[in-house]
Amino acid sequence: MALVSMRQLLDEAAGGGYGVGAFNVNNMEQVQALMEAADETRSPVIVQASRGARTYTNDRFLIHLMQAAVEVYPDVPVALHQDHGDSPETCFSAIEQGFTSVMMDGSLLADGKTPSDFDYNVAVTRQVVEHAHAVGVTVEGELGTLGGIEDGHGSGEVHLTDPEQAVDFVRLTGIDALAVAIGTSHGAYKFSKPPTGDVLAMNLIQEIHERLPDTHLVMHGSSSVPKELVDTINAYGGEIRPTWGVPVEEIQLGIRHGVRKINVDTDARLAMTGAVRKALAGDAGEFDPRSYLKPAREAMKAVYVERMTQFGQAGHAGDYEPKTLEEMRQFYAADSGRGRIGTRLELR
Ligand code: G3H
Ligand code: 13P
Ligand code: ZN
């Protein structure tokens, strides 16, 4: 199976009423852990790479890892997605490399820091949609800004998404999926106590979904930052301060109200770091990298299996026949991407 369109994965998820985790990768162990988890749970999956990940892997290593992934696991539908593209050029180069989905994050200017205005966001996102849909590639846009700064990306300020503006944004850009800002942030330090409605505005998801029932909503900054993962790091010399993430039950509430893509990076980073620290502390004389990368891979896989099960994507890998990007191009050309792609096997 080749890499598949993210739009198809999300349309299918909408039809089935479940969410699909989008997990960030930077290296072989993460790709392997993710694919093993998807295969074991029979899950479709979104693999995403930030600009930092693309630089780290020099693009080609990542692309070849993904080719290996689809070769080794032919029954797992996988979309390869550019996370937080900072400019149309970043998205275009991802498409050239073979990504099947891109995020144009026009909520910030190209410096990845300064919040942009609505017109700028519409203009750059529209430009990416025109280019991407012409080759069958999916586009995610973002309205509003998250807190937190990752890899120099992010304004550090939270601007919640305005539901009325969201309607205009989707109409003017033609995006497939909309990332909404509801009070989450990237990284481990999201909330200083268990989040309630005053800091995590789940009601916005509901309001936006009511106005845009056919647009797939995306939750960024969705790591749950499990205490046990933080505790493992700290038990072996780490210094992660007390912190709270997004409770899985809140994500599940979001899924009931139109959230189809859930971005998770930090939880796997925590799992990997804790496992490496533990393994190295366990045998100070060990110096074979496999002795700590293997448990790291296992720890990440456990996180992925748990999230795939909780988001509901587990068991859905074989529901449909993946469309080619050429078929997706025709779909966009025929009706400008409106409606859902009817590919569920029982509907064919
Ligand atoms: O968008 C945030 C993701 O966690 C990616 O982080 O830019 O450090 O790779 P990164
Ligand atoms: P976390 O830092 O919560 O894992 O969020 C990742 C993310 O949103 C990537 O775009
Ligand atoms: Zn994000």
Side-chain angles (χ1 to χ4, degrees):
M1 189 188 291
L3 292 168
V4 305
S5 147
M6 187 172 88
R7 169 66 183 265
Q8 186 183 13
L9 257 60
L10 300 184
D11 276 8
E12 292 292 340
Y18 59 91
V20 183
F23 303 98
N24 289 72
V25 299
N26 292 275
N27 61 28
M28 182 184 77
E29 284 74 15
Q30 283 178 308
V31 173
Q32 288 177 325
L34 195 41
M35 294 308 296
E36 277 180 32
D39 187 54
E40 203 168 288
T41 59
R42 306 216 12 83
S43 299
V45 69
I46 299 163
V47 177
Q48 58 186 12
S50 66
R51 282 181 304 120
R54 288 181 59 193
T55 306
Y56 183 75
T57 58
N58 192 17
D59 266 348
R60 296 312 299 158
F61 285 93
L62 173 71
I63 294 301
H64 284 276
L65 281 174
M66 293 311 299
Q67 281 170 7
V70 295
E71 196 181 303
V72 176
Y73 298 101
D75 299 329
V76 175
V78 194
L80 178 60
H81 176 76
Q82 164 79 59
D83 191 25
H84 292 286
D86 60 342
S87 65
E89 291 67 34
T90 298
C91 297
F92 300 158
S93 71
I95 294 169
E96 263 170 46
Q97 290 292 332
F99 284 58
T100 57
S101 179
V102 291
M103 174 185 193
M104 176 61 237
D105 183 356
S107 70
L108 301 171
L109 295 179
D111 64 5
K113 289 179 174 51
T114 316
S116 67
D117 63 31
F118 183 77
D119 291 344
Y120 169 89
N121 196 353
V122 168
V124 288
T125 307
R126 178 75 225 160
Q127 194 188 342
V128 171
V129 168
E130 279 166 12
H131 181 102
H133 284 185
V135 288
V137 167
T138 311
V139 182
E140 172 185 341
E142 174 164 331
L143 189 64
T145 57
L146 275 72
I149 299 176
E150 287 286 316
D151 198 22
H153 189 95
S155 68
E157 298 166 33
V158 181
H159 296 279
L160 298 184
T161 306
D162 176 330
E164 279 306 323
Q165 215 179 36
V167 174
D168 292 338
F169 186 69
V170 169
R171 180 174 49 80
L172 293 167
T173 58
I175 50 171
D176 302 278
L178 175 69
V180 292
I182 56 167
T184 65
S185 53
H186 291 126
Y189 300 106
K190 300 182 194 302
F191 305 109
S192 55
K193 55 183 172 43
T196 48
D198 50 335
V199 287
L200 181 61
M202 294 305 297
N203 60 311
L204 271 186
I205 298 261
Q206 210 162 328
E207 277 184 50
I208 296 167
H209 182 52
E210 274 163 21
R211 287 173 168 81
L212 289 168
D214 295 326
T215 301
H216 304 304
L217 302 183
V218 183
M219 270 177 76
H220 281 247
S222 294
S223 278
S224 301
V225 194
K227 188 171 177 313
E228 59 275 18
L229 296 183
V230 171
D231 286 349
T232 303
I233 293 178
N234 289 344
Y236 295 97
E239 289 183 7
I240 308 279
R241 301 190 304 276
T243 177
W244 278 264
V246 183
V248 168
E249 311 82 70
E250 299 293 346
I251 297 171
Q252 289 169 332
L253 175 69
I255 292 170
R256 290 198 289 280
H257 294 287
V259 170
R260 297 294 158 230
K261 174 173 181 274
I262 304 109
N263 283 20
V264 173
D265 184 2
T266 295
D267 284 351
R269 291 181 177 198
L270 293 171
M272 182 175 210
T273 302
V276 170
R277 280 186 175 279
K278 189 175 174 183
L280 289 176
D283 184 352
E286 179 61 72
F287 58 90
D288 179 345
R290 289 169 297 193
S291 71
Y292 50 86
L293 290 177
K294 215 167 156 217
R297 193 169 61 189
E298 284 304 313
M300 288 188 288
K301 181 182 165 189
V303 168
Y304 298 140
V305 165
E306 194 177 20
R307 294 291 174 271
M308 287 170 182
T309 309
Q310 291 162 331
F311 298 162
Q313 73 211 79
H316 290 287
D319 287 1
Y320 47 92
E321 205 67 68
K323 296 268 188 204
T324 62
L325 289 191
E326 172 53 24
E327 286 173 301
M328 291 306 299
R329 184 194 68 73
Q330 289 169 19
F331 164 76
Y332 289 122
D335 73 351
S336 314
R338 287 189 301 275
R340 287 195 192 137
I341 309 153
T343 49
R344 296 184 77 82
L345 292 178
E346 64 269 25
L347 300 183
R348 285 164 6 121

PDB file of all heavy atoms in Angstrom, residues 24-26 48-53 83-84 150-153 186-187 220-221 263-266 269, ligand 1:
ATOM      1  N   ASN A  24       3.957  12.555  15.985  1.00  0.00           N
ATOM      2  CA  ASN A  24       5.186  13.115  15.417  1.00  0.00           C
ATOM      3  C   ASN A  24       6.324  12.091  15.463  1.00  0.00           C
ATOM      4  O   ASN A  24       6.482  11.385  16.455  1.00  0.00           O
ATOM      5  CB  ASN A  24       5.624  14.352  16.200  1.00  0.00           C
ATOM      6  CG  ASN A  24       4.700  15.523  15.967  1.00  0.00           C
ATOM      7  OD1 ASN A  24       3.570  15.532  16.443  1.00  0.00           O
ATOM      8  ND2 ASN A  24       5.157  16.501  15.220  1.00  0.00           N
ATOM      9  N   VAL A  25       7.086  12.055  14.375  1.00  0.00           N
ATOM     10  CA  VAL A  25       8.260  11.167  14.353  1.00  0.00           C
ATOM     11  C   VAL A  25       9.513  11.940  13.940  1.00  0.00           C
ATOM     12  O   VAL A  25       9.433  12.934  13.215  1.00  0.00           O
ATOM     13  CB  VAL A  25       8.068   9.971  13.389  1.00  0.00           C
ATOM     14  CG1 VAL A  25       6.898   9.102  13.801  1.00  0.00           C
ATOM     15  CG2 VAL A  25       7.912  10.439  11.941  1.00  0.00           C
ATOM     16  N   ASN A  26      10.631  11.469  14.424  1.00  0.00           N
ATOM     17  CA  ASN A  26      11.931  12.049  14.095  1.00  0.00           C
ATOM     18  C   ASN A  26      12.975  10.994  13.754  1.00  0.00           C
ATOM     19  O   ASN A  26      14.042  11.326  13.266  1.00  0.00           O
ATOM     20  CB  ASN A  26      12.483  12.846  15.293  1.00  0.00           C
ATOM     21  CG  ASN A  26      11.664  14.082  15.578  1.00  0.00           C
ATOM     22  OD1 ASN A  26      11.874  15.118  14.974  1.00  0.00           O
ATOM     23  ND2 ASN A  26      10.719  13.970  16.501  1.00  0.00           N
ATOM     24  N   GLN A  48       3.293  12.306  11.391  1.00  0.00           N
ATOM     25  CA  GLN A  48       3.572  13.683  11.020  1.00  0.00           C
ATOM     26  C   GLN A  48       4.994  14.092  11.364  1.00  0.00           C
ATOM     27  O   GLN A  48       5.597  13.598  12.311  1.00  0.00           O
ATOM     28  CB  GLN A  48       2.546  14.649  11.591  1.00  0.00           C
ATOM     29  CG  GLN A  48       2.382  14.655  13.077  1.00  0.00           C
ATOM     30  CD  GLN A  48       1.220  15.549  13.513  1.00  0.00           C
ATOM     31  OE1 GLN A  48       0.408  15.999  12.704  1.00  0.00           O
ATOM     32  NE2 GLN A  48       1.142  15.828  14.796  1.00  0.00           N
ATOM     33  N   ALA A  49       5.494  15.019  10.537  1.00  0.00           N
ATOM     34  CA  ALA A  49       6.864  15.509  10.712  1.00  0.00           C
ATOM     35  C   ALA A  49       6.836  17.021  10.780  1.00  0.00           C
ATOM     36  O   ALA A  49       6.254  17.681   9.911  1.00  0.00           O
ATOM     37  CB  ALA A  49       7.731  15.054   9.544  1.00  0.00           C
ATOM     38  N   SER A  50       7.425  17.558  11.824  1.00  0.00           N
ATOM     39  CA  SER A  50       7.559  19.014  11.945  1.00  0.00           C
ATOM     40  C   SER A  50       8.675  19.470  11.009  1.00  0.00           C
ATOM     41  O   SER A  50       9.415  18.637  10.451  1.00  0.00           O
ATOM     42  CB  SER A  50       7.922  19.377  13.386  1.00  0.00           C
ATOM     43  OG  SER A  50       9.220  18.865  13.687  1.00  0.00           O
ATOM     44  N   ARG A  51       8.833  20.767  10.891  1.00  0.00           N
ATOM     45  CA  ARG A  51       9.962  21.264  10.088  1.00  0.00           C
ATOM     46  C   ARG A  51      11.274  20.797  10.721  1.00  0.00           C
ATOM     47  O   ARG A  51      12.216  20.428  10.043  1.00  0.00           O
ATOM     48  CB  ARG A  51       9.930  22.790  10.007  1.00  0.00           C
ATOM     49  CG  ARG A  51       8.923  23.300   9.009  1.00  0.00           C
ATOM     50  CD  ARG A  51       8.947  24.805   8.950  1.00  0.00           C
ATOM     51  NE  ARG A  51       8.727  25.387  10.253  1.00  0.00           N
ATOM     52  CZ  ARG A  51       9.571  26.184  10.898  1.00  0.00           C
ATOM     53  NH1 ARG A  51      10.712  26.522  10.343  1.00  0.00           N
ATOM     54  NH2 ARG A  51       9.279  26.664  12.087  1.00  0.00           N
ATOM     55  N   GLY A  52      11.298  20.801  12.055  1.00  0.00           N
ATOM     56  CA  GLY A  52      12.496  20.336  12.763  1.00  0.00           C
ATOM     57  C   GLY A  52      12.797  18.877  12.449  1.00  0.00           C
ATOM     58  O   GLY A  52      13.959  18.505  12.272  1.00  0.00           O
ATOM     59  N   ALA A  53      11.747  18.065  12.364  1.00  0.00           N
ATOM     60  CA  ALA A  53      11.941  16.640  12.057  1.00  0.00           C
ATOM     61  C   ALA A  53      12.467  16.471  10.629  1.00  0.00           C
ATOM     62  O   ALA A  53      13.312  15.604  10.365  1.00  0.00           O
ATOM     63  CB  ALA A  53      10.625  15.891  12.229  1.00  0.00           C
ATOM     64  N   ASP A  83       3.614  18.776   9.683  1.00  0.00           N
ATOM     65  CA  ASP A  83       3.065  19.443  10.866  1.00  0.00           C
ATOM     66  C   ASP A  83       3.544  20.904  10.888  1.00  0.00           C
ATOM     67  O   ASP A  83       4.726  21.175  10.687  1.00  0.00           O
ATOM     68  CB  ASP A  83       3.576  18.684  12.104  1.00  0.00           C
ATOM     69  CG  ASP A  83       2.882  19.087  13.384  1.00  0.00           C
ATOM     70  OD1 ASP A  83       1.737  19.569  13.320  1.00  0.00           O
ATOM     71  OD2 ASP A  83       3.490  18.893  14.463  1.00  0.00           O
ATOM     72  N   HIS A  84       2.629  21.823  11.118  1.00  0.00           N
ATOM     73  CA  HIS A  84       2.956  23.258  11.252  1.00  0.00           C
ATOM     74  C   HIS A  84       3.859  23.811  10.152  1.00  0.00           C
ATOM     75  O   HIS A  84       4.941  24.359  10.439  1.00  0.00           O
ATOM     76  CB  HIS A  84       3.591  23.542  12.623  1.00  0.00           C
ATOM     77  CG  HIS A  84       2.642  23.366  13.759  1.00  0.00           C
ATOM     78  ND1 HIS A  84       1.637  24.268  14.047  1.00  0.00           N
ATOM     79  CD2 HIS A  84       2.523  22.366  14.661  1.00  0.00           C
ATOM     80  CE1 HIS A  84       0.947  23.836  15.090  1.00  0.00           C
ATOM     81  NE2 HIS A  84       1.446  22.668  15.474  1.00  0.00           N
ATOM     82  N   GLU A 150       7.506  25.315  20.682  1.00  0.00           N
ATOM     83  CA  GLU A 150       8.271  24.102  20.392  1.00  0.00           C
ATOM     84  C   GLU A 150       9.222  24.425  19.263  1.00  0.00           C
ATOM     85  O   GLU A 150       8.812  24.940  18.229  1.00  0.00           O
ATOM     86  CB  GLU A 150       7.338  22.977  19.905  1.00  0.00           C
ATOM     87  CG  GLU A 150       6.483  22.354  20.958  1.00  0.00           C
ATOM     88  CD  GLU A 150       7.257  21.432  21.880  1.00  0.00           C
ATOM     89  OE1 GLU A 150       8.069  20.637  21.381  1.00  0.00           O
ATOM     90  OE2 GLU A 150       7.060  21.539  23.099  1.00  0.00           O
ATOM     91  N   ASP A 151      10.481  24.082  19.437  1.00  0.00           N
ATOM     92  CA  ASP A 151      11.423  24.213  18.342  1.00  0.00           C
ATOM     93  C   ASP A 151      11.373  25.619  17.737  1.00  0.00           C
ATOM     94  O   ASP A 151      11.430  25.787  16.528  1.00  0.00           O
ATOM     95  CB  ASP A 151      11.071  23.162  17.264  1.00  0.00           C
ATOM     96  CG  ASP A 151      12.215  22.911  16.314  1.00  0.00           C
ATOM     97  OD1 ASP A 151      13.354  23.194  16.681  1.00  0.00           O
ATOM     98  OD2 ASP A 151      11.944  22.429  15.199  1.00  0.00           O
ATOM     99  N   GLY A 152      11.194  26.621  18.582  1.00  0.00           N
ATOM    100  CA  GLY A 152      11.121  27.998  18.095  1.00  0.00           C
ATOM    101  C   GLY A 152       9.796  28.342  17.452  1.00  0.00           C
ATOM    102  O   GLY A 152       9.586  29.455  16.984  1.00  0.00           O
ATOM    103  N   HIS A 153       8.852  27.373  17.418  1.00  0.00           N
ATOM    104  CA  HIS A 153       7.568  27.612  16.754  1.00  0.00           C
ATOM    105  C   HIS A 153       6.501  27.913  17.795  1.00  0.00           C
ATOM    106  O   HIS A 153       6.359  27.197  18.762  1.00  0.00           O
ATOM    107  CB  HIS A 153       7.166  26.379  15.938  1.00  0.00           C
ATOM    108  CG  HIS A 153       5.967  26.611  15.065  1.00  0.00           C
ATOM    109  ND1 HIS A 153       6.081  26.978  13.743  1.00  0.00           N
ATOM    110  CD2 HIS A 153       4.662  26.571  15.337  1.00  0.00           C
ATOM    111  CE1 HIS A 153       4.873  27.131  13.241  1.00  0.00           C
ATOM    112  NE2 HIS A 153       3.998  26.874  14.190  1.00  0.00           N
ATOM    113  N   HIS A 186       1.627  23.313  23.150  1.00  0.00           N
ATOM    114  CA  HIS A 186       2.580  22.245  22.855  1.00  0.00           C
ATOM    115  C   HIS A 186       3.488  21.989  24.058  1.00  0.00           C
ATOM    116  O   HIS A 186       3.686  22.868  24.882  1.00  0.00           O
ATOM    117  CB  HIS A 186       3.453  22.644  21.657  1.00  0.00           C
ATOM    118  CG  HIS A 186       2.693  22.681  20.371  1.00  0.00           C
ATOM    119  ND1 HIS A 186       2.668  23.765  19.540  1.00  0.00           N
ATOM    120  CD2 HIS A 186       1.910  21.750  19.774  1.00  0.00           C
ATOM    121  CE1 HIS A 186       1.923  23.506  18.481  1.00  0.00           C
ATOM    122  NE2 HIS A 186       1.446  22.283  18.601  1.00  0.00           N
ATOM    123  N   GLY A 187       4.030  20.796  24.108  1.00  0.00           N
ATOM    124  CA  GLY A 187       5.032  20.501  25.114  1.00  0.00           C
ATOM    125  C   GLY A 187       4.441  19.913  26.389  1.00  0.00           C
ATOM    126  O   GLY A 187       3.248  19.613  26.468  1.00  0.00           O
ATOM    127  N   HIS A 220      -4.592  20.214  18.512  1.00  0.00           N
ATOM    128  CA  HIS A 220      -3.142  20.198  18.725  1.00  0.00           C
ATOM    129  C   HIS A 220      -2.866  20.183  20.222  1.00  0.00           C
ATOM    130  O   HIS A 220      -3.767  20.398  21.031  1.00  0.00           O
ATOM    131  CB  HIS A 220      -2.500  21.444  18.097  1.00  0.00           C
ATOM    132  CG  HIS A 220      -2.322  21.320  16.623  1.00  0.00           C
ATOM    133  ND1 HIS A 220      -1.095  21.257  16.016  1.00  0.00           N
ATOM    134  CD2 HIS A 220      -3.245  21.222  15.627  1.00  0.00           C
ATOM    135  CE1 HIS A 220      -1.260  21.130  14.716  1.00  0.00           C
ATOM    136  NE2 HIS A 220      -2.557  21.109  14.447  1.00  0.00           N
ATOM    137  N   GLY A 221      -1.612  19.945  20.554  1.00  0.00           N
ATOM    138  CA  GLY A 221      -1.212  19.971  21.971  1.00  0.00           C
ATOM    139  C   GLY A 221      -2.023  18.997  22.798  1.00  0.00           C
ATOM    140  O   GLY A 221      -2.445  19.294  23.914  1.00  0.00           O
ATOM    141  N   ASN A 263      -3.358  15.516  17.698  1.00  0.00           N
ATOM    142  CA  ASN A 263      -1.897  15.586  17.609  1.00  0.00           C
ATOM    143  C   ASN A 263      -1.222  15.241  18.937  1.00  0.00           C
ATOM    144  O   ASN A 263      -1.480  15.886  19.959  1.00  0.00           O
ATOM    145  CB  ASN A 263      -1.476  17.003  17.230  1.00  0.00           C
ATOM    146  CG  ASN A 263      -1.672  17.291  15.763  1.00  0.00           C
ATOM    147  OD1 ASN A 263      -2.438  16.611  15.090  1.00  0.00           O
ATOM    148  ND2 ASN A 263      -0.978  18.291  15.270  1.00  0.00           N
ATOM    149  N   VAL A 264      -0.354  14.256  18.879  1.00  0.00           N
ATOM    150  CA  VAL A 264       0.365  13.806  20.079  1.00  0.00           C
ATOM    151  C   VAL A 264       1.847  13.644  19.754  1.00  0.00           C
ATOM    152  O   VAL A 264       2.211  12.879  18.862  1.00  0.00           O
ATOM    153  CB  VAL A 264      -0.212  12.462  20.586  1.00  0.00           C
ATOM    154  CG1 VAL A 264       0.639  11.904  21.724  1.00  0.00           C
ATOM    155  CG2 VAL A 264      -1.662  12.627  21.039  1.00  0.00           C
ATOM    156  N   ASP A 265       2.664  14.351  20.451  1.00  0.00           N
ATOM    157  CA  ASP A 265       4.116  14.225  20.317  1.00  0.00           C
ATOM    158  C   ASP A 265       4.742  14.007  21.695  1.00  0.00           C
ATOM    159  O   ASP A 265       5.472  13.049  21.945  1.00  0.00           O
ATOM    160  CB  ASP A 265       4.675  15.508  19.662  1.00  0.00           C
ATOM    161  CG  ASP A 265       6.165  15.429  19.398  1.00  0.00           C
ATOM    162  OD1 ASP A 265       6.775  14.376  19.670  1.00  0.00           O
ATOM    163  OD2 ASP A 265       6.749  16.416  18.906  1.00  0.00           O
ATOM    164  N   THR A 266       4.423  14.917  22.621  1.00  0.00           N
ATOM    165  CA  THR A 266       5.091  14.936  23.929  1.00  0.00           C
ATOM    166  C   THR A 266       4.998  13.603  24.675  1.00  0.00           C
ATOM    167  O   THR A 266       5.981  13.158  25.280  1.00  0.00           O
ATOM    168  CB  THR A 266       4.486  16.079  24.777  1.00  0.00           C
ATOM    169  OG1 THR A 266       4.809  17.308  24.125  1.00  0.00           O
ATOM    170  CG2 THR A 266       5.035  16.096  26.182  1.00  0.00           C
ATOM    171  N   ARG A 269       7.606  11.357  23.538  1.00  0.00           N
ATOM    172  CA  ARG A 269       8.930  11.862  23.950  1.00  0.00           C
ATOM    173  C   ARG A 269       9.198  11.505  25.411  1.00  0.00           C
ATOM    174  O   ARG A 269      10.303  11.112  25.777  1.00  0.00           O
ATOM    175  CB  ARG A 269       8.985  13.386  23.814  1.00  0.00           C
ATOM    176  CG  ARG A 269       8.959  13.871  22.393  1.00  0.00           C
ATOM    177  CD  ARG A 269       9.034  15.390  22.356  1.00  0.00           C
ATOM    178  NE  ARG A 269       9.079  15.859  20.983  1.00  0.00           N
ATOM    179  CZ  ARG A 269       9.481  17.059  20.615  1.00  0.00           C
ATOM    180  NH1 ARG A 269       9.864  17.938  21.511  1.00  0.00           N
ATOM    181  NH2 ARG A 269       9.504  17.399  19.348  1.00  0.00           N
TER     182      ARG A 269
HETATM  183  O1  G3H B   1       4.319  21.137  16.910  1.00  0.00           O
HETATM  184  C1  G3H B   1       4.920  20.607  17.806  1.00  0.00           C
HETATM  185  C2  G3H B   1       5.481  19.246  17.758  1.00  0.00           C
HETATM  186  O2  G3H B   1       5.595  18.771  19.058  1.00  0.00           O
HETATM  187  C3  G3H B   1       6.794  19.196  17.011  1.00  0.00           C
HETATM  188  O3  G3H B   1       7.849  19.623  17.770  1.00  0.00           O
HETATM  189  O4  G3H B   1       9.080  21.192  16.278  1.00  0.00           O
HETATM  190  O5  G3H B   1      10.190  20.163  18.289  1.00  0.00           O
HETATM  191  O6  G3H B   1       9.682  18.775  16.271  1.00  0.00           O
HETATM  192  P1  G3H B   1       9.287  19.962  17.116  1.00  0.00           P
END
